Amino acid sequence: MAQAAAVAKPPAPPRRRRASATPRRLPYLLIAPAALLMLGFIAYPVISVFYYSLQNYNPTKPWRNGYAGLDNFVHAFTKDPVFWDTLVFSAKWVFVEVGLQLLFGLALALIVNQTFVGRGLGRAMVFSPWAVSGVLTSAIWVLLYNSQTGITRYLADLGIGSYGTSWLSDTSTVFPAAVVADLWRGVPFFAILILADLQSVSKDLYEAAEVDGASRLKQFWHITLPHLKDAIILSTLLRAVWEFNNVDLLYTLTGGGPAGETTTLPLYIANTSVDAHNFGYASALTTVAFVILLFCSMVYLRLSKFGGESK
């Protein structure tokens, strides 16, 4: 009996080997060098800006360097009228540029989303300005606005305007001229993102709307726009931040002139740091700009209900 019981006893289950922690940690170990480099290149400059914003730091006047506390911020808000002028112009620049770029980008996306002969070439032509660098874009428009060889010369030949007119040196025309130059490069950004989102709209929705007798305008308002909501919110937010920080185009076109008419806050910061060597005050202005962008971005995302369901 004992022998039969011993034979019938099931074998013991094999012991599970303890899983090694190395395979689970391997992905993090592989990305650690890149993560540390990114942290160094991003965190160190940000921390340095916050640090120098509390300092009087001017390499050309080392005897004045030292801890300043909040003096730089107090000076910006109470004693520097240029700060307020550049902040107001920055808001105007962002509002006009982003609004027009969204409007024209949406229109172009709707056009190139249609089926027509040469659509591929049309899309390439629409998107090509976005591939041009900001500095090259500025150089192109500087040549176009040249008073001797640019647009104004050809308009003068047609009897429109006078010879030697420079739109970039006239306070009444410099803002529209700069807006047009930046529109040329910024519109394709919206067109690309909106067109990509348009590709995912189901055609069955439009067919059902046509059966119900909905017009093109109602289809656009009730089908297309709700579907594009998140793409529009994200693209406008990204473009607003980029336009606020726009320095290369305005610096190359106008240098902030004439008479400071096109000086944005980032351009004022660049002039304060690079030309005046007042890095402490420039760091304080940079900190203020960072707080403004962070606050406006959070409010915009909250009010627009980004990621929420469309009604």
Side-chain angles (χ1 to χ4, degrees):
M1 296 291 294
Q3 185 176 4
V7 174
K9 186 178 180 180
R15 293 183 178 181
R16 294 182 178 180
R17 295 183 179 180
R18 185 177 180 181
S20 176
T22 302
R24 290 181 295 179
R25 296 176 181 175
L26 183 60
Y28 301 100
L29 294 176
L30 292 176
I31 66 174
L36 291 175
L37 286 175
M38 291 181 62
L39 183 63
F41 281 108
I42 295 176
Y44 176 75
V46 171
I47 295 174
S48 297
V49 167
F50 289 148
Y51 170 77
Y52 285 114
S53 67
L54 303 175
Q55 306 289 323
N56 287 323
Y57 182 65
N58 190 332
T60 63
K61 300 176 181 179
W63 58 89
R64 295 185 179 179
N65 294 345
Y67 180 72
L70 299 177
D71 290 348
N72 289 327
F73 297 96
V74 173
H75 178 78
F77 286 101
T78 61
K79 300 179 181 180
D80 188 2
V82 179
F83 165 73
W84 291 106
D85 292 340
T86 57
L87 185 59
V88 170
F89 177 76
S90 297
K92 175 184 176 182
W93 173 261
V94 170
F95 181 78
V96 173
E97 278 293 342
V98 175
L100 291 178
Q101 289 178 20
L102 173 61
L103 181 63
F104 289 117
L106 177 60
L108 282 177
L110 293 173
I111 292 173
V112 298
N113 190 47
Q114 304 299 318
T115 302
F116 56 89
V117 178
R119 184 174 66 172
L121 179 60
R123 288 181 175 180
M125 293 179 63
V126 168
F127 301 152
S128 58
W130 183 246
V132 181
S133 67
V135 175
L136 184 56
T137 299
S138 303
I140 292 172
W141 284 94
V142 165
L143 294 175
L144 289 174
Y145 288 143
N146 187 282
S147 59
Q148 302 299 323
T149 59
I151 299 174
T152 55
R153 170 62 183 274
Y154 292 100
L155 291 177
D157 292 338
L158 297 175
I160 303 174
S162 57
Y163 291 100
T165 301
S166 177
W167 290 345
L168 297 178
S169 59
D170 189 341
T171 56
S172 62
T173 58
V174 63
F175 181 72
V179 166
V180 171
D182 199 46
L183 279 177
W184 181 78
R185 185 169 183 262
V187 167
F189 170 77
F190 284 95
I192 293 171
L193 290 185
I194 294 175
L195 178 62
D197 209 26
L198 281 174
Q199 303 296 310
S200 61
V201 181
S202 176
K203 294 182 178 180
D204 295 339
L205 296 175
Y206 294 104
E207 293 176 356
E210 289 181 0
V211 172
D212 292 338
S215 63
R216 287 291 184 91
L217 181 60
K218 288 185 177 180
Q219 293 178 29
F220 173 76
W221 188 260
H222 295 286
I223 298 177
T224 306
L225 272 185
H227 185 85
L228 297 176
K229 173 192 170 185
D230 286 347
I232 291 176
I233 293 173
L234 181 60
S235 58
T236 51
L237 177 61
L238 291 176
R239 197 60 187 161
V241 173
W242 294 342
E243 289 296 345
F244 184 89
N245 293 318
N246 190 333
V247 173
D248 53 355
L249 184 136
L250 289 175
Y251 183 82
T252 306
L253 281 180
T254 67
E261 287 290 327
T262 58
T263 302
T264 59
L265 181 57
L267 185 55
Y268 178 49
I269 293 172
N271 292 333
T272 302
S273 58
V274 177
D275 296 338
H277 305 288
N278 193 350
F279 292 100
Y281 186 57
S283 297
L285 295 177
T286 304
T287 303
V288 172
F290 169 77
V291 173
I292 291 174
L293 286 177
L294 180 62
F295 175 77
C296 292
S297 299
M298 293 174 62
V299 171
Y300 179 69
L301 290 176
R302 184 63 180 270
L303 294 178
S304 62
K305 298 180 181 179
F306 176 73
E309 294 182 0
S310 302
K311 292 183 180 181

